[in-house]
Every structure is written in C-alpha cells, then in structure tokens.
Amino acid sequence: MNKKPDTKSISLTIPAPEKVLAWGMSHFSKSPVLRPESELELKRIFEYANSNKLKIAFRGGGCSYGDASLNKDGIILDMQNYNQIMSWDKQTGIIKVQSGVTIQKLWEFSIEEGFWPPVVSGTMFPTLGGALSMNIHGKNNFAVGPIGEHVTEFRFMTANGKIIRCSKTSNKDIFYSAISGFGMLGCFLDISIKLKKIPSGKMKITPVPIANLDEMIACIEKEYKSSDYLVGWVDAFATGKSTGRGLIHKAVHLPASEDPDFPESLKVKNQILPTKFLGVIPKKFMWLFLLPFSNNPGMRLVNFVKFILGYVSTKPYLQGHAEFAFLLDYVPNWKFIYKPGSMIQYQVFIPKETASGCFKEIFKTCQEHNIIPFLAVFKKHRPDQFLLTHSVDGYSMAMDFPVTGRNKNKVWDLVYKLDEIVIRCKGKFYFAKDSTLRPEVAEKVFPKESLKKFKALKKRLDPNNIFQTDLYKRIFTPSKT
Ligand SMILES: Cc1cc2nc3c(=O)[nH]c(=O)nc-3n(C[C@H](O)[C@H](O)[C@H](O)COP(=O)(O)OP(=O)(O)OC[C@H]3O[C@@H](n4cnc5c(N)ncnc54)[C@H](O)[C@@H]3O)c2cc1C
C-alpha cells in the first residue's frame, strides 16, 4: 500500500520577521521573508504551508502601491532571486525567463538585439511575475492591450506543488485567470513572452499642450491611430473651464534612417540617463529639491509651471525608449517627497461614454475637499479578456494623493466618495494601485460571473487558501482579518 508522505515532518526554517513596505509607504507588514531560487524550494514551502496552516504572499519588485504583496499573518516569498533568462529566439522574438526577472533586466538584455518588451509600466523595477499577476498596461494599452496578451506560455505552480503549462489554448482558464489573478492562484515559474522589434533606439516625441479635459480626450482620439504610445499629464489643481488641462506626449518609433545615432542608440549605455543633474547634482538627491514644494501651494505652482512650459516648447524631440518609458526612475526616491508621510495612488478606469463627466466630477470633489492629487496621469485603454481585468474601452486617471498622519482619515473619506462616482460611471479599479477598495465596492465593479469564477478557481487550485495577501484579505475575506 502506498503510504501518504508525512508532510508535517517537512521542516522549514522561518526567518525573523522584517518590515516590508508597500511602494507608496502607506502600508507595511512585519513578515518573515523567504527568497526561493528553485522550483524544489517553492514546492517544499507550499507543502509546509499546507500542513502547517501557513499563509504565503508572493512578492516581486514590491512596486504595487498598496498592500498587494504584504502579509501581516504569514510569510512573504520574495521572488527576485528566481531570475534567470532561460532562452532567447531572435527569429520569433520569444524570450523565456524565470518570473523574478525584472523589466529592467529584460529590456537591458533585449534592446541591443533590437527588441523591446511589448508592454512596460512607468517603472522598470517590477518582475515579470508581478507584472503578469496584475496584468500591467503601458502607455500603449489602446494599441496592444495588457502584458498578458503577449505571453505565449507560462508554467505555473499551484498550492499542491503541481506544475501546469498554460497558454491561450492549453489550460486556457488558468491562463486567463492567473494573469490578473494578483498572486492568489499560484506561482508563475517560467514565462515566455514575445518581444517587440524596434527600428531604432529612439522615438520621436511630440508634446501637445491641452486646455481642458474635453480637449485631452479629443486629442487622444485624434492621435491614437498614428501613435505608438500616448500619455497625458493633468494639472489636477486647475478648476472650472480649465479642469483637466495638461500636456499630452505622443511617441512614435523612429526609423533607423532618421535616428542620427543608429545603431549606437540601441546600446544600453546610451539609453541610460546621466546620474547627475546639470552634470553636478547626483540625481539621488534631487527629491530634496522638490521637498519644499510638497504641499498644496507648492504643487499648485509646480503643476502650473509645467503647464505653461508645455506651451513654450511644442517642438518634437528624440528620446530613447528607456528615458521615455521610465522617466520617473531617473529621479530616484522621488516618492520621498511625501515623507514623513506617505502616498496612495487612486487609479480609475472609466468607459468612454461616461469619462468626461466622471473625471470632471472627481477633480471637483477633490478640490471641494482640498485634497488634490499632486500628480495625475491620463491614458487610453481597450478592453481585454482576462478574468479580473481592470481595463475598459475608455480611459484611466491615476492620481497620487499625499497621506499624512493628520489627513489620513480625510483622504480615505474622499476616496470613498470618489468610489461612488466611479460606480455610477461603471468604472473599474486596479489592484496594483489600490489601497482603499472595500468588498462591497469590488462586488459592484467586477462582473458577478467573474468573481464567481475566480472564487471557484481559487478553491480548486488553492483549497487550503494558503495564498493570501493583505489586499486579498481586505477585499475578499474581510471578516477573517
Ligand atoms: C512608479 C510606478 C509606476 C507604475 N506604472 C505602472 C503602469 O504604467 N502600468 C501598470 O499597469 N502598473 C504600473 N505600476 C504598478 C506595477 O507595475 C505593478 O504593481 C506590478 O504588479 C509590480 O510588479 P512587482 O514585481 O513589483 O510585484 P509586487 O508589487 O511585489 O506584487 C504584485 C503582485 O504580484 C504577485 N506576484 C509577484 N510575483 C509573483 C509570482 N512569481 N507568481 C505569482 N504572483 C506573483 C504578488 O503577490 C502581488 O499580488 C507602477 C508602479 C510604480 C511604483
């Protein structure tokens, strides 16, 4: 007779808890952190967790703004040491990597081969595992969809240590649910993704100043078919007829024949910006210069000056891919301007039919509460087929709110009011950016069928519910926190 393995005897050394911070610094958990490097290690940890009622949260680069990769009641598996590039096929553009490989490692590997990741976030520090779990979108979402659409295959370890190969045709249900499944269904092992061929190391960027929100939407609608990337910055302090004013950046791939530095522009060293500002000030100290402006009057001024400068120079210019995609990374620690407080991002996705009125109402409500986003970014989106997708046929606005010891309750009260507007406008939220979503709101914004399917899959793939994060507990099992 086959004897069942005695899983209780599996030993695991659990390290002392360490403080793990959300990217926006508004949440943390004190959790033991394990850093697995192999499938075998992962399997053993899952076995131990199943038999000892231990809860596991995966963590990639820790770039989610809120509590998506924190775990107050269990351990964190930091996947960043699981980071090998496994194979590369220049003919097909398909690269296979372990899920702890970062977007930075990916682009630095591929650009010299003339390829770029098909979808990147505004920072290069997320891992591919984290990127798939949230199904990240880029400034090209309107054209190419989220990152999941470019994944050709991945291997996935479920809670019982079983490894499943998933693609758009094989184990399709898991493919479309694990991508967007915010780490709750299992662990991405290796991921194959098709990279995008780029004609040169540069893009042509055209800045377009925008007087108000309706102009912003109209301009995006006019330009998107002829753009590779489009992103709008919005001055959230502007009121009345100027609500939604800002600046759009349109980016188009530059043919090699028009790139004065081709092929040198494809070298990693030529994509990376200088580490010093004006050749003197190390960029890591630049946030200190922004610190005096980290308040409502200061940010009102910064946003106003940025808006005016948009009119001063509308001349197209050339920019490297990394510089355009990851501009914020080149001001290291910029989030420290929120210290000694922190920040949350509130990103809402609104269908095109209701978008204009919805965003105007959101900005008006913020202004009435005198809690105004220091930074607001506008993008165009298209719908996709992933189970818990955040995308819509419409637009998103990502808004950075400062959080201090004194204003925290007011910020939460405000976003709860904004939630009502978003629900009314049939909008959606995004777990990667979320810090405030409540179960009753999630139930209204995600289709009932999708939630039901997600819960059934969770039960099937993780029957003991070992995969949990603070975000999952907040939104999906609130009574058990
Ligand atoms: C400055 C900045 C700009 C950003 N811009 C964008 C943007 O333009 N578009 C966008 O879509 N997002 C953007 N983001 C959000 C970011 O891309 C996502 O939060 C992404 O998921 C972060 O990946 P990560 O590796 O840091 O994962 P973490 O934040 O550590 O974790 C994210 C989720 O992935 C899960 N996870 C991690 N690894 C694995 C694995 N191997 N298997 C299973 N689950 C796993 C975690 O449990 C968690 O649920 C931005 C973030 C920052 C800080």
Side-chain angles (χ1 to χ4, degrees):
M1 200 173 82
N2 276 345
K3 229 177 141 192
K4 262 189 151 182
D6 178 9
T7 46
K8 283 230 161 73
S9 66
I10 293 167
S11 68
L12 188 70
T13 309
I14 309 273
E18 52 188 92
K19 186 172 176 180
V20 184
L21 256 187
W23 194 88
M25 306 173 297
S26 59
H27 296 74
F28 69 90
S29 68
K30 283 206 162 159
S31 324
V33 181
L34 292 172
R35 297 179 170 83
E37 291 179 16
S38 69
E39 283 175 21
L40 192 63
E41 267 180 88
L42 282 165
K43 195 168 177 319
R44 288 212 175 116
I45 297 168
F46 292 3
E47 277 172 7
Y48 182 88
N50 273 308
S51 51
N52 291 277
K53 296 198 165 71
L54 185 67
K55 303 303 174 199
I56 294 174
F58 301 108
R59 184 172 171 92
C63 297
S64 293
Y65 278 73
D67 48 1
S69 58
L70 303 181
N71 191 2
K72 285 200 175 85
D73 308 316
I75 60 166
I76 288 178
L77 293 195
D78 180 333
M79 297 299 294
Q80 288 179 100
N81 289 347
Y82 186 67
N83 62 8
Q84 297 306 305
I85 293 181
M86 301 170 75
S87 68
W88 163 236
D89 182 343
K90 201 172 172 172
Q91 298 309 315
T92 59
I94 294 174
I95 191 164
K96 187 182 192 181
V97 299
Q98 289 180 332
S99 59
V101 163
T102 58
I103 292 175
Q104 177 179 24
K105 188 164 174 172
L106 189 61
W107 80 257
E108 288 188 354
F109 174 86
S110 66
I111 193 160
E112 299 200 355
E113 302 275 313
F115 287 83
W116 184 256
V119 171
V120 296
S121 45
T123 173
M124 62 174 103
F125 304 124
T127 60
L128 267 286
L132 260 60
S133 291
M134 293 301 182
N135 204 12
I136 64 165
H137 60 264
K139 300 176 184 78
N140 53 356
N141 188 262
F142 60 89
V144 305
I147 193 163
E149 290 192 15
H150 306 272
V151 171
T152 54
E153 186 177 272
F154 61 80
R155 287 191 316 126
F156 195 63
M157 190 181 283
T158 59
N160 63 5
K162 197 172 155 198
I163 295 175
I164 304 173
R165 197 176 284 279
C166 305
S167 70
K168 285 175 189 164
T169 49
S170 160
N171 292 307
K172 199 174 156 187
D173 57 339
I174 301 178
F175 182 89
Y176 282 102
S177 320
I179 298 179
S180 79
F182 61 109
M184 289 302 98
L185 301 178
C187 184
F188 290 102
L189 299 174
D190 43 75
I191 297 164
S192 299
I193 182 164
K194 191 167 166 57
L195 304 182
K196 169 172 85 170
K197 187 113 186 74
I198 45 173
S200 75
K202 295 214 165 131
M203 291 192 292
K204 183 175 169 188
I205 316 294
T206 310
V208 187
I210 297 291
N212 56 46
L213 192 77
D214 290 326
E215 207 178 297
M216 172 91 50
I217 293 175
C219 177
I220 294 234
E221 287 307 314
K222 179 170 157 261
E223 299 292 342
Y224 81 92
K225 284 190 185 139
S226 59
S227 305
D228 288 304
Y229 300 90
L230 267 178
V231 61
W233 157 79
V234 175
D235 173 3
F237 288 86
T239 55
K241 284 188 179 145
S242 300
T243 298
R245 73 181 177 194
L247 190 63
I248 284 176
H249 283 105
K250 169 188 169 103
V252 177
H253 287 300
L254 196 69
S257 57
E258 291 175 29
D259 178 354
D261 303 319
F262 186 81
E264 282 300 298
S265 59
L266 285 169
K267 296 255 163 69
V268 171
K269 66 175 174 31
N270 295 325
Q271 289 285 324
I272 292 172
L273 286 181
T275 53
K276 291 191 175 153
F277 184 61
L278 299 175
V280 198
I281 307 161
K283 284 203 173 146
K284 63 179 175 192
F285 297 126
M286 263 183 67
W287 67 272
L288 286 167
F289 292 90
L290 290 169
L291 203 56
F293 299 98
S294 185
N295 47 58
N296 267 0
M299 279 297 155
R300 185 185 292 277
L301 181 68
V302 169
N303 276 273
F304 178 71
V305 171
K306 191 169 154 61
F307 172 67
I308 295 297
L309 288 179
Y311 278 96
V312 173
S313 174
T314 52
K315 230 173 108 187
Y317 55 93
L318 304 186
Q319 202 168 38
H321 292 265
E323 193 181 347
F324 176 76
F326 312 122
L327 197 61
L328 282 175
D329 289 346
Y330 292 102
V331 187
N333 299 329
W334 61 268
K335 65 179 176 182
F336 287 179
I337 66 162
Y338 293 99
K339 281 189 167 189
S342 61
M343 52 97 59
I344 58 167
Q345 189 174 94
Y346 184 76
Q347 185 173 17
V348 297
F349 296 73
I350 310 293
K352 56 181 192 273
E353 294 77 15
T354 51
S356 168
C358 179
F359 292 131
K360 285 178 196 162
E361 197 178 342
I362 284 179
F363 285 131
K364 190 160 179 267
T365 310
C366 295
Q367 287 156 4
E368 281 165 2
H369 286 73
N370 203 27
I371 301 173
I372 299 160
F374 284 5
L375 177 69
V377 174
F378 188 74
K379 287 182 200 144
K380 177 172 166 69
H381 297 272
R382 76 177 195 196
D384 60 63
Q385 299 179 51
F386 294 89
L387 186 64
L388 291 183
T389 178
H390 54 272
S391 206
V392 293
D393 185 4
Y395 312 95
S396 74
M397 191 74 74
M399 293 164 275
D400 288 2
F401 289 102
V403 179
T404 63
R406 281 176 63 193
N407 83 349
K408 185 167 180 199
N409 290 341
K410 288 186 187 156
V411 174
W412 259 246
D413 285 347
L414 167 67
V415 296
Y416 291 164
K417 285 200 177 123
L418 302 183
D419 285 352
E420 296 308 317
I421 303 172
V422 176
I423 293 169
R424 224 185 320 114
C425 297
K426 303 203 181 319
K428 289 235 184 96
F429 297 99
Y430 180 23
F431 295 143
K433 307 294 184 75
D434 180 57
S435 294
T436 59
L437 193 64
R438 293 158 294 162
E440 62 273 25
V441 178
E443 270 173 28
K444 285 184 187 148
V445 293
F446 289 105
K448 275 196 176 42
E449 263 314 295
S450 304
L451 287 175
K452 201 172 147 200
K453 202 172 160 202
F454 169 74
K455 285 176 188 166
L457 262 172
K458 172 92 177 140
K459 218 170 176 177
R460 192 178 110 207
L461 302 177
D462 178 19
N464 295 325
N465 224 357
I466 62 168
F467 302 134
Q468 300 201 7
T469 58
D470 290 350
L471 178 141
Y472 172 74
K473 282 174 277 184
R474 171 165 56 86
I475 302 174
F476 289 91
T477 60
S479 54
K480 290 176 199 150
T481 50

